[in-house]
Amino acid sequence: MKKLTAVFLSILLAFSALTLGANAADTPKTQKLIDAINGGQAVKVTLKSGTTMLGSSSDTFIIKGNALAYEYNTGLFNIRLLLKDGALYAYLPKLPFFYVKMSALELGMGALDVPTLVKLATGATFAILRYVKSYQETIDGVNYDVEEYFDNASVTAKFCYVGDQLKLLKVTDAQTHSVQNTYFESISFDVSDSEVAAPVGLNVTPLFKVLFASLLVSALIPA
């Protein structure tokens, strides 16, 4: 399997980070959220990713049916990658008149059953983490309803809610003393067909094929 396949699988695993077991009498919000993701046909998750010279930036992951999309947005600029019907498209949603298209075979990717992969990923995570307790905690001046989970080793995951909206995932590793915060801008189960529609217009792949492939390697695959 080529490296690019791992990029899209990592998008699926981003959703799997939400899947956690529960031993409490009342079903935790996190478990309800994951049940909704696994039981539905569409989900859109937007993460806050920081600030650039063009403004605040975000990463959005979209699944609808067997289509999978990733969009990076910063200020006035945004770019979308769409994997659908055996092809990978890259285009600017605000200017969808030009696009680059490569087949999954060209990228070394086989056929993906996206809903099944999501369920497999969430199932694997379910076997690792267990629900510990729920409480309130103020983090960086914001009061959250926290659901805490533990991997029975060194990792503690805190799912932090404002009302019923997941806003922060704080993961602490006691062994490495590392802390990783993931900030959620929104989670929605309302995905329009246009968000996973193949672009139309001028196919500029012959002009930018080499550049497109190199950008994917440098921008999306961690060093």
Side-chain angles (χ1 to χ4, degrees):
M1 184 180 296
K2 299 292 185 178
K3 288 184 178 180
L4 189 58
T5 306
V7 173
F8 288 96
L9 289 179
S10 69
I11 295 174
L12 300 179
L13 293 175
F15 294 114
S16 77
L18 299 173
T19 308
L20 301 166
N23 296 322
D26 296 327
T27 303
K29 296 177 182 178
T30 304
Q31 185 62 50
K32 292 179 181 178
L33 177 60
I34 274 312
D35 288 345
I37 290 174
N38 282 337
Q41 289 295 313
V43 65
K44 177 168 63 175
V45 178
T46 298
L47 308 177
K48 298 178 181 179
S49 56
T51 303
T52 70
M53 294 179 61
L54 297 176
S56 60
S57 60
S58 63
D59 298 289
T60 298
F61 305 102
I62 303 170
I63 291 175
K64 186 166 187 178
N66 207 41
L68 176 64
Y70 163 75
E71 184 172 324
Y72 175 71
N73 181 76
T74 177
L76 298 176
F77 174 80
N78 63 330
I79 185 170
R80 181 179 295 165
L81 299 179
L82 171 65
L83 184 63
K84 182 177 183 178
D85 298 331
L88 176 66
Y89 302 87
Y91 61 101
L92 303 177
K94 294 181 180 179
L95 294 170
F97 313 113
F98 306 94
Y99 65 91
V100 175
K101 177 182 179 182
M102 299 180 71
S103 72
L105 291 178
E106 288 179 279
L107 298 168
M109 302 175 66
L112 292 181
D113 183 341
V114 175
T116 297
L117 287 174
V118 171
K119 291 179 181 179
L120 288 174
T122 55
T125 308
F126 180 88
I128 296 172
L129 297 172
R130 65 177 180 84
Y131 174 82
V132 178
K133 57 184 176 180
S134 298
Y135 51 89
Q136 289 192 332
E137 182 178 353
T138 300
I139 303 174
D140 295 330
V142 180
N143 188 40
Y144 294 103
D145 294 323
V146 178
E147 294 182 353
E148 183 177 309
Y149 297 81
F150 187 56
D151 73 342
N152 292 321
S154 63
V155 175
T156 298
K158 293 183 178 181
F159 289 77
C160 306
Y161 292 81
V162 175
D164 290 327
Q165 299 297 313
L166 178 64
K167 291 298 182 182
L168 169 65
L169 170 59
K170 183 175 183 178
V171 179
T172 303
D173 190 325
Q175 183 174 359
T176 62
H177 305 289
S178 65
V179 178
Q180 181 176 355
N181 291 329
T182 301
Y183 293 92
F184 292 80
E185 186 173 299
S186 63
I187 299 176
S188 173
F189 297 98
D190 184 16
V191 178
S192 66
D193 291 338
S194 63
E195 292 178 279
V196 291
V200 295
L202 181 61
N203 185 347
V204 296
T205 305
L207 297 176
F208 294 96
K209 198 170 189 177
V210 175
L211 176 61
F212 173 57
S214 64
L215 285 175
L216 282 175
V217 171
S218 62
L220 295 181
I221 299 179

